[in-house]
Amino acid sequence: MTVSIAAVHVTVDDPDAAVAFYRDTLGFKVRKEVANDGFRWVTLTTETQPEIEIVLSHPHAGRSKADGDIVAELLAKGELGGINLRTDNLDETFAKVAAAPGAEVLQEPTDQFWGVRDAAVRDPAGNLVRIAQA
């Protein structure tokens, strides 16, 4: 039996700002955009891992109003899970991310005691994005 990662969901309050960040700043490719019930979700991939998708979706997409409101509150607080990425050039990637509209720098590139060099930012929706040197 083989199990692998197919998709990672990232909740965003502004899909256009999120696409600009993940596509234009980080270089992900938009695979599909799907509209449903007044909302849309966008899937993105990388050239090196096209089988793994990042799915950007709105807090209210596919949820009841009450549940969507709760998710939106957690998103606004920055309390939803983050995403960990890897790059072959952390300094160059960090410079792009730090200059991106809506991004908030939390940690500049740093050598961590557990052996990783990484940086941390919040995407335009407030999600934690950690980027490590490959």
Side-chain angles (χ1 to χ4, degrees):
M1 178 173 79
T2 301
V3 177
S4 60
I5 297 171
V8 175
H9 288 257
V10 177
T11 304
V12 298
D13 52 1
D14 182 344
D16 294 325
V19 167
F21 180 78
Y22 288 96
R23 181 193 62 205
D24 302 340
T25 302
L26 290 171
F28 285 81
K29 307 289 183 217
V30 173
R31 177 172 281 171
K32 26 181 183 185
E33 295 190 45
V34 178
N36 185 25
D37 205 20
F39 297 101
R40 82 180 207 267
W41 69 88
V42 181
T43 61
L44 302 109
T45 63
T46 66
E47 289 183 18
T48 57
Q49 294 176 304
E51 72 281 6
I52 300 174
E53 295 178 328
I54 293 178
V55 182
L56 305 175
S57 63
H58 193 275
H60 290 90
R63 295 182 179 91
S64 69
K65 168 117 174 60
D67 288 347
D69 288 348
I70 292 168
V71 172
E73 285 181 35
L74 291 171
L75 178 63
K77 292 179 181 181
E79 292 297 326
L80 296 180
I83 187 168
N84 290 39
L85 305 174
R86 186 172 36 235
T87 181
D88 61 355
N89 188 329
L90 180 59
D91 293 322
E92 180 181 328
T93 302
F94 177 77
K96 283 178 156 180
V97 169
E104 176 190 356
V105 173
L106 300 177
Q107 173 204 304
E108 294 190 11
T110 303
D111 293 324
Q112 302 292 355
F113 69 90
W114 58 87
V116 174
R117 178 171 164 73
D118 74 352
V121 299
R122 291 204 183 277
D123 72 8
N127 294 296
L128 176 63
V129 179
R130 294 198 75 84
I131 306 170
Q133 177 73 42

